[in-house]
Amino acid sequence: MAESGAAGAEALGSLVAFGRELRARGLPVGTGRILTFLRAVVALGLTDRRSLYWAGRVSMIGRKEDLAAY
């Protein structure tokens, strides 16, 4: 996610929206978990769907009971 400008802001918005969607599904995804997810994406420079999935799963899921909703 080495994008800048409007494209970077759009990507950031999409990632935050994903965290909010998980919260809407009943998962306990607070701001801290969303920030951790964003930091992981930036640090790893994730560009493929599979890596993005795992970054989100590791950073936003705290209980195995929440995996199905994720």
Side-chain angles (χ1 to χ4, degrees):
M1 198 167 104
E3 304 172 48
S4 62
E10 184 177 331
L12 177 66
S14 294
L15 296 173
V16 171
F18 176 63
R20 290 179 178 157
E21 174 63 27
L22 292 177
R23 188 182 301 150
R25 291 181 184 192
L27 297 179
V29 178
T31 304
R33 287 191 185 269
I34 294 172
L35 286 173
T36 299
F37 175 53
L38 297 176
R39 288 182 184 125
V41 170
V42 170
L44 298 171
L46 302 177
T47 57
D48 65 279
R49 231 180 143 121
R50 183 172 185 209
S51 296
L52 190 62
Y53 167 86
W54 284 104
R57 181 172 162 165
V58 167
S59 60
M60 294 211 250
I61 301 300
R63 304 176 311 167
K64 68 178 181 177
E65 295 84 19
D66 296 334
L67 288 173
Y70 180 77

